[in-house]
Amino acid sequence: MSKALRAGLWILISVAGAGALSAVALRRDEPINAMWIIVAAVCVYVVAYRFYSRFIAFKVMGLDDTRATPAERLDDGRDFVPTNKWILLGHHFAAIAGPGPLVGPTLAAQLGYLPGTLWLIIGAVLGGCVQDFVILFASIRRNGKSLGQIAKEEVGPVAGLTALCAIISILVILLAVIALVITNALKSSPWGTFTLAMTIPIALLMGVYLRFLRPGKVLETSVLGFVLVMAAVIGGQYIAQAPRLAALFTFDARALAWMIIAYGFAASVLPVWLLLAPRDYLSTFIKLGTIFLLALGILAVRPTLAMPALSRFVDGSGPVFSGKIFPFAFITIACGAISGFHSLISSGTTPKLITKESQARLIGYGSMLAESFVGIMAMIAACVLQPGIYFAINSPAGIVGSNPAAATAMISSWGYTVTPADMQNLSRMVGEQTMFSRTGGAPSLAVGMAHIFARTLGGHAFTAIWYHFAIMFEALFILTVLDAGSRVGRFLLQDLLGHVWKPLARTSWYPGVILTSALIVAGWGYFLYQGVMDPLGGINSLWPLFGIANQLLAVVALCVATSILIKMNKARYAWVTVLPMLWLVLATQTAGFQKIFHPDPRIGFLAEADRLSGLVSAGAVPVDKLAAVQRQIFNNRLDAAVTGLFVLMVLVILIECAREWLAILSHRKIPVLCEAEYQVTSYK
Amino acid sequence: MQFLIKVWNMLGQVMGEGEYLRYCEHMRARHPELKLMTAREFYVSRLNEKYSRPNKCC
């Protein structure tokens, strides 16, 4: 292609992107079509990838293809293996894309589609992708070391230890909140519970098949597992229709929480090949397929968004989560825009498999763009619902009450009309007992997905099956994150406690394994149980906590990345990581401060604790509810303390890094970069 | 059809197929004196390594 033609093409893409973006942002009078959002997102991604990631790759970090990567130098046929870049892209994407980019945008849709959409697009190209890319690069240059190790070597031991503590506590909150999402999705749903329960024997079967019959034949086993899971999705309908069978699979949230806790513990101590790995294969297979299918579905249906660009809840009074756009939109959507957790993946397996440094651009920056697009699709799926229905599904009973007539009247009074008949119709269509107050995002996302899928394939008759397929899809990979996360948490904790008492670090010592597994599971189990007992549904308090934690981890990662850029003598380009870092520091510190100290009890944990203790001392709490209210008071104070702890840990790292930066920039200290030695590649 | 086979193989590799073959090739080329693990042994030992560090995200 001639140079002029190419330039013209890029100008065209840029103009199309800018046009679509301004249409998305500025059109207020009539509902917009989802295609505007898709075009805006894709054009921005393409332009950012072509220009910004190239700038970061060659100007800022100086990727060097003559330099042998760890996969080449340390090739051991196992951990370090030069891998085809497209395969590695798929691998990395499957590892980073979890339930986060689906649930976050669904919850943020209460503000209207605009804030979340803009943050997903802009946050990803300037923040999330940059973080993933720079950390991946840093880890490649350091033989695939983890974020904690890099922090220790490049910043100092205090930063390293704080990073490790931060990672473990963030993991605990993450696991609790996603466990709460499936608990809420499966509550009183025999169909959904049956389907998910069946994935356990299916995974065990796959595990045995892979271990003894066809070792390593992952794909054929996953296809077999998929066929069985589909049979369970379809069969679930007959379970739900037979009252005696349905009773066996109908549980309240408390019972489900206990089952999930027991499952998490079992998965963390059982051999990996038996349950964890096969379920991971199954979930990866279904995840990649469903995301692809959803993209096709949206392109085929080209739905119109029913949600306004900005809802009335931008004032902070929303029922799904409380708080204004700033900072809470940026906390609610973490994964999809920028997710600190990715830095653990970027400094994990992927850097050990990459063949050439320049491929980090596709794999680090590119796969985060794909995750951002998943977030955009979730936002569209949530916004195709009538707002009244969206709010009826997502508002906790603690706010709208549990009487259908009263709840719909209240939601309609907000200006989002919905009737009890609409909701009954919806429950019948999706094959559930009720769709009121199914908080957590998963049910409303599943309704949105079913809506899109049913219009492409099968029509209305298939809505119930598509709904339960979508629930199974979300629950399946939430459980995968839950069991893999519990296990990793156990290893991290063993690592940390090993500093205190050596034997605890031994992964083959059974008492140590049981103890650390129990500690991790008890940690997230406690927060899960707290969420289940919370009259506001738990998502209200736990999701922001998770968002803050995840973004704070991103601050840590960007801090470490900035230290590395400064030490590489690239201080003039440090804004690449410093700007997203400052934005996140601003958002998370404001959110953290507000969650602790805000005078509105719906936002501030301490205000809520005070309100409740006021009720207790005024004698306004019935005796039988006293214990529950006391527990709520304690939990609110605990949540405040946890938020405070997160904020504090990040401040420690921030200060440690800033001292280092100042020392280097004022020439008081000679920068020593802990990179692996340069070795020339033998690849062409 | 050929395209489908290609997609199938690609997907298989994304999910971790072919690791054993690569391991065998590597061992034969670099450490011919060492005894190879069987496919089953390799499969189990790889899984234990894979799931002991962060490998799934939210």
Side-chain angles (χ1 to χ4, degrees):
Chain A
M1 221 187 314
S2 81
K3 218 170 176 181
L5 203 62
R6 216 183 292 179
L9 185 67
W10 283 110
I11 291 172
L12 205 68
I13 295 175
S14 311
V15 170
L21 205 57
S22 47
V24 170
L26 302 175
R27 255 219 253 167
R28 287 288 185 283
D29 38 358
E30 51 186 316
I32 71 158
N33 191 283
M35 288 313 285
W36 287 103
I37 294 185
I38 300 273
V39 171
V42 170
C43 290
V44 173
Y45 296 155
V46 171
V47 171
Y49 183 78
R50 168 65 180 76
F51 297 99
Y52 194 47
S53 79
R54 192 186 165 81
F55 165 76
I56 297 173
F58 300 111
K59 280 268 190 252
V60 180
M61 301 192 299
L63 298 186
D64 179 1
D65 274 347
T66 69
R67 192 184 183 116
T69 58
E72 182 184 353
R73 281 184 287 112
L74 307 172
D75 186 355
D76 62 0
R78 301 167 58 98
D79 272 346
F80 294 87
V81 180
T83 306
N84 173 294
K85 68 174 176 180
W86 296 106
I87 288 165
L88 191 53
L89 175 73
H91 204 284
H92 185 78
F93 174 70
I96 61 169
L102 296 174
V103 176
T106 308
L107 299 179
Q110 85 157 347
L111 302 170
Y113 63 80
L114 188 59
T117 302
L118 289 182
W119 170 233
L120 279 167
I121 297 175
I122 298 169
V125 299
L126 298 181
C129 298
V130 176
Q131 170 203 255
D132 291 17
F133 185 19
V134 179
I135 294 294
L136 176 60
F137 159 78
S139 185
I140 293 173
R141 285 275 170 101
R142 285 160 189 76
N143 292 342
K145 287 211 172 93
S146 70
L147 181 71
Q149 288 167 310
I150 298 176
K152 191 169 149 193
E153 287 175 4
E154 299 292 348
V155 186
V158 177
L161 196 65
T162 319
L164 188 56
C165 291
I167 291 168
I168 294 176
S169 28
I170 288 160
L171 195 65
V172 166
I173 296 294
L174 158 74
L175 297 180
V177 77
I178 59 171
L180 186 58
V181 170
I182 32 172
T183 310
N184 285 348
L186 297 182
K187 190 165 63 179
S188 331
S189 165
W191 188 341
T193 311
F194 168 78
T195 309
L196 193 68
M198 288 315 286
T199 63
I200 297 173
I202 292 171
L204 294 174
L205 205 68
M206 288 170 66
V208 170
Y209 182 88
L210 270 167
R211 167 93 160 80
F212 297 106
L213 297 174
R214 305 268 288 166
K217 294 288 178 209
V218 176
L219 193 56
E220 67 174 52
T221 316
S222 306
V223 173
L224 288 176
F226 174 68
V227 172
L228 292 175
V229 167
M230 283 314 289
V233 170
I234 295 167
Q237 135 175 245
Y238 302 104
I239 301 286
Q241 282 161 3
R244 284 171 72 188
L245 286 174
L248 287 177
F249 291 97
T250 308
F251 300 102
D252 63 357
R254 210 184 303 194
L256 281 168
W258 279 113
M259 282 185 247
I260 291 169
I261 291 169
Y263 171 80
F265 182 75
S268 142
V269 292
L270 281 178
V272 188
W273 62 265
L274 185 60
L275 182 57
L276 218 169
R279 137 166 267 133
D280 188 10
Y281 292 136
L282 192 58
S283 110
T284 305
F285 183 77
I286 294 181
K287 174 160 66 186
L288 294 177
T290 308
I291 288 174
F292 185 65
L293 215 61
L294 183 60
L296 285 187
I298 291 178
L299 289 182
V301 177
R302 295 183 297 278
T304 303
L305 303 187
M307 187 68 84
L310 292 170
S311 79
R312 58 175 290 164
F313 299 120
V314 293
D315 65 356
S317 64
V320 183
F321 59 87
S322 343
K324 294 194 172 159
I325 291 191
F326 183 85
F328 287 100
F330 306 97
I331 299 306
T332 306
I333 300 182
C335 316
I338 175 164
S339 160
F341 228 84
H342 290 188
S343 59
L344 304 184
I345 311 287
S346 292
S347 63
T349 314
T350 311
K352 297 175 182 156
L353 301 174
I354 210 156
T355 316
K356 284 180 172 184
E357 282 196 351
S358 64
Q359 294 170 356
R361 187 177 159 206
L362 174 72
I363 290 154
Y365 201 94
S367 52
M368 180 61 202
L369 286 178
E371 173 165 303
S372 170
F373 190 66
V374 173
I376 291 285
M377 292 199 294
M379 179 60 90
I380 291 173
C383 293
V384 297
L385 299 181
Q386 285 303 323
I389 287 183
Y390 169 88
F391 284 109
I393 300 175
N394 284 301
S395 304
I399 290 179
V400 294
S402 41
N403 175 322
T408 47
M410 187 178 212
I411 294 164
S412 301
S413 78
W414 294 334
Y416 306 113
T417 321
V418 60
T419 63
D422 291 340
M423 291 305 289
Q424 213 168 16
N425 217 348
L426 177 68
S427 328
R428 208 180 38 244
M429 252 169 67
V430 299
E432 287 286 278
Q433 288 165 3
T434 172
M435 289 307 285
F436 275 108
S437 298
R438 303 294 297 270
T439 58
S444 74
L445 176 66
V447 173
M449 281 170 69
H451 182 84
I452 291 167
F453 284 147
R455 278 175 63 186
T456 347
L457 287 171
H460 279 314
F462 277 70
T463 309
I465 291 191
W466 280 122
Y467 173 83
H468 283 95
F469 174 80
I471 287 286
M472 177 277 299
F473 151 77
E474 293 168 73
L476 188 63
F477 67 93
I478 286 182
L479 273 197
T480 308
V481 176
L482 208 65
D483 47 29
S486 299
R487 198 179 165 86
V488 167
R490 177 194 116 199
F491 279 91
L492 292 172
L493 193 62
Q494 285 193 295
D495 191 25
L496 187 70
L497 293 181
H499 292 289
V500 185
W501 193 44
K502 271 265 157 7
L504 282 175
R506 284 207 328 251
T507 51
S508 55
W509 188 50
Y510 240 74
V513 168
I514 300 279
L515 176 76
T516 43
S517 300
L519 279 175
I520 288 288
V521 176
W524 62 255
Y526 180 82
F527 284 99
L528 165 63
Y529 200 71
Q530 163 193 335
V532 165
M533 303 300 290
D534 185 341
L536 290 183
I539 290 294
N540 232 311
S541 52
L542 280 181
W543 190 269
L545 209 57
F546 157 63
I548 292 175
N550 200 357
Q551 305 286 47
L552 285 176
L553 191 56
V555 172
V556 174
L558 289 168
C559 243
V560 172
T562 308
S563 304
I564 291 172
L565 289 185
I566 290 178
K567 285 181 163 188
M568 287 174 81
N569 203 11
K570 293 288 171 77
R572 64 186 178 288
Y573 294 129
W575 54 266
V576 167
T577 50
V578 168
L579 287 183
M581 183 189 86
L582 283 180
W583 173 251
L584 287 186
V585 168
L586 208 66
T588 51
Q589 300 291 324
T590 316
F593 188 81
Q594 287 192 4
K595 284 312 287 183
I596 302 176
F597 297 113
H598 201 286
D600 179 353
R602 289 206 35 216
I603 302 177
F605 289 127
L606 292 181
E608 173 69 359
D610 289 346
R611 184 185 73 89
L612 291 170
S613 21
L615 286 181
V616 171
S617 50
V621 179
V623 181
D624 58 321
K625 292 236 172 100
L626 203 58
V629 172
Q630 295 287 9
R631 200 169 45 228
Q632 256 178 284
I633 295 175
F634 173 77
N635 285 335
N636 269 294
R637 295 202 170 123
L638 178 70
D639 290 349
V642 172
T643 313
L645 187 73
F646 286 153
V647 169
L648 209 69
M649 284 194 286
V650 171
L651 285 180
V652 168
I653 294 182
L654 207 57
I655 292 168
E656 279 287 297
C657 285
R659 275 179 35 201
E660 183 88 1
W661 302 341
L662 285 178
I664 294 171
L665 291 175
S666 62
H667 305 289
R668 273 182 288 126
K669 191 168 173 184
I670 300 159
V672 187
L673 211 52
C674 303
E675 278 185 358
E677 229 164 277
Y678 179 89
Q679 204 174 315
V680 87
T681 177
S682 55
Y683 294 138
K684 287 275 171 337
Chain B
M1 192 60 207
Q2 234 169 7
F3 174 74
L4 286 181
I5 293 174
K6 210 172 164 188
V7 169
W8 176 266
N9 286 337
M10 200 72 175
L11 201 60
Q13 301 234 327
V14 167
M15 296 181 65
E17 271 182 16
E19 284 185 354
Y20 181 64
L21 286 180
R22 266 198 313 252
Y23 157 80
C24 291
E25 264 171 41
H26 172 89
M27 293 303 275
R28 277 195 211 105
R30 306 239 187 133
H31 311 281
E33 73 287 358
L34 293 179
K35 197 171 158 273
L36 282 178
M37 275 192 266
T38 64
R40 277 188 203 171
E41 286 165 350
F42 178 79
Y43 176 69
V44 173
S45 82
R46 276 303 290 153
L47 288 186
N48 283 326
E49 287 164 14
K50 268 189 204 167
Y51 290 96
S52 59
R53 50 177 179 245
N55 59 353
K56 273 284 149 320
C57 203
C58 36

